[in-house]
Amino acid sequence: TSGSGVPLALDEGDSYDNLINGGYINTDDPSASSLYVKITPGQSMEQYATDTERALTLAWIEQGALNN
């Protein structure tokens, strides 16, 4: 689960289910999604996402985090 200290498995074929079922996505409050928060400036994973990637991630969550 989110925050358990266990790395999130993002292997092809598993990543979507792990993000959704692991509590990393909050479509009711997209900017509070753990996935998005972790990549925002000042957070632990900031260096792994550009501003463009952050915007795309937030837009994806806002649009319902579809498996596309």
Side-chain angles (χ1 to χ4, degrees), residues 4 7 9-10 16 18 20-21 23 27 30-31 34 47 56 62 68:
S4 68
L10 294 176
Y16 181 78
N18 290 338
I20 297 300
N21 297 328
T27 56
S31 63
S34 177
Q47 71 271 24
L56 287 171
E62 289 172 340
N68 56 2

Side-chain angles (χ1 to χ4, degrees), residues 9-22 25 60 64-68:
L10 294 176
D11 300 320
E12 185 177 349
D14 295 329
S15 58
Y16 181 78
D17 288 338
N18 290 338
L19 285 170
I20 297 300
N21 297 328
I25 306 297
W60 173 72
L66 302 176
N67 188 4
N68 56 2

Side-chain angles (χ1 to χ4, degrees), residues 27-50:
T27 56
D28 292 330
D29 188 0
S31 63
S33 293
S34 177
L35 173 68
Y36 179 71
V37 169
K38 288 178 184 290
I39 62 172
T40 59
Q43 297 301 313
S44 63
M45 303 294 281
E46 170 189 4
Q47 71 271 24
Y48 297 107
T50 65

Side-chain angles (χ1 to χ4, degrees), residues 53-65:
E53 290 166 336
R54 280 187 274 280
L56 287 171
T57 299
L58 184 58
W60 173 72
I61 298 168
E62 289 172 340
Q63 294 166 9

